[in-house]
Amino acid sequence: MTQASDLVYMSARQVAEYLDLNEKKVYAMANDRILPATKITGKWLFPKILIDRWIMDSCHSGMLTDRLLITGSDDPLLAMLVARLMSQVGSRELISYSATGSRLGLELLSKGYADVCTLHWGSLEERNIRHPALLKGYANHQQWIMVHGYTRQQGLIVRPDIQHRCLEQAQILGQPWRWIFRQEGAGSQQHLEHWLLSQGARADQLNAVLTAYSERELAGYIARGDADIGFGCQAVAAESGLGFVPLLSESFDFVMTQSIYFRRQLQQLFTMLASPQTRQMAGVLTGYDLSNTGQLIWTAAQ
């Protein structure tokens, strides 16, 4: 007989036995999006790891409500805000931000290892198509909502001495420059490949010498002379003293479950994000537009 501890996914009957609930109650809680679940060909499946997390988070005062784990796409403004928020709460709570790239961040969110995932997966004009299409590829996306963070300028980060040679996009690919890529599943790598496609080129045609696992790592390689050009946001280029060639405006957004949206630390972060001090900080970093920060832009019911 299969033990509950051996299961990855549980049926409604198994969840009812596990939680000592009526099976009809389990179905009702799944339909009301109270229990974490996904429906496959009309049948509800419940990831056990998320059921266990839901139990812990439902305890008195919530065992996990004293922390907020953010993962996903890399961004210097968000990193600065999380550091400032941590300095305010001190050792009473934990607010952490681990930049993993959009796709890995969504996998971690889907498996319950993260509370919030940040992502950027297309231009601002394509966000309402590309972002929901990406989310729907993950289990438990029915539980998720997406909130707009801000708009960023995205493009090519280059050595300052070659920026004047990047004025014509068609001429860039003909140069013998050393490219630095992001890891597969990162939003910036997705942008690069989409831009190359518009230029009639492919990533394997470039002289790729390195792979960076964050935008700041990418900028560091270029600043040290280990590479010449890569794809990232304007703020990262500016803080590293590098050249920047803007190619698109993108939407940097936050994905989480509905229950996490109301968690105190996340609401504190959104409040800080909308403050005049943060807008001033964004102006110093360059390349940000915070005009629609905090707007709910997608739910699974849409």
Side-chain angles (χ1 to χ4, degrees), residues 6 26 63 69-70 72 101 152 169 186 232 240 256 258 265 272:
D6 298 327
V26 171
M63 289 179 65
L69 308 179
I70 305 172
R152 305 192 309 180
Q169 292 187 35
S240 300
M256 77 278 320
Q258 296 182 55
Q265 298 89 345
M272 181 179 286

Side-chain angles (χ1 to χ4, degrees), residues 15-148:
V15 172
E17 294 174 354
Y18 190 55
L19 301 180
D20 194 21
L21 293 173
N22 183 283
E23 192 170 338
K24 290 183 178 180
K25 180 64 173 177
V26 171
Y27 282 119
M29 294 173 74
N31 281 309
D32 291 340
R33 300 180 182 177
I34 297 173
L35 282 176
T38 184
K39 185 176 280 189
I40 305 295
T41 62
K43 179 181 178 181
W44 283 110
L45 290 177
F46 302 80
K48 184 178 181 299
I49 189 171
L50 296 188
I51 293 294
D52 289 338
R53 184 182 176 93
W54 176 82
I55 293 171
M56 288 191 293
D57 212 19
S58 299
C59 293
H60 178 65
S61 299
M63 289 179 65
L64 302 178
T65 58
D66 61 350
R67 66 202 67 188
L68 185 71
L69 308 179
I70 305 172
T71 187
S73 300
D74 190 19
D75 182 70
L77 178 60
L78 179 58
M80 293 172 72
L81 291 179
V82 169
R84 282 160 172 74
L85 197 52
M86 264 307 301
S87 70
Q88 292 180 11
V89 302
S91 61
R92 301 185 305 275
E93 301 175 7
L94 172 64
I95 304 159
S96 71
Y97 174 37
S98 176
T100 61
S102 298
R103 279 195 175 277
L104 179 54
L106 289 172
E107 288 182 28
L108 293 168
L109 180 66
S110 179
K111 292 179 178 179
Y113 294 127
D115 299 311
V116 180
C117 175
T118 57
L119 78 156
H120 59 117
W121 202 251
S123 67
L124 182 61
E125 295 78 14
E126 298 174 325
R127 176 196 65 191
N128 293 337
I129 297 174
R130 286 184 174 272
H131 282 190
L134 179 64
L135 300 186
K136 290 176 181 178
Y138 292 86
N140 311 307
H141 73 271
Q142 299 94 335
Q143 313 289 330
W144 294 349
I145 62 174
M146 182 165 57
V147 176
H148 180 57

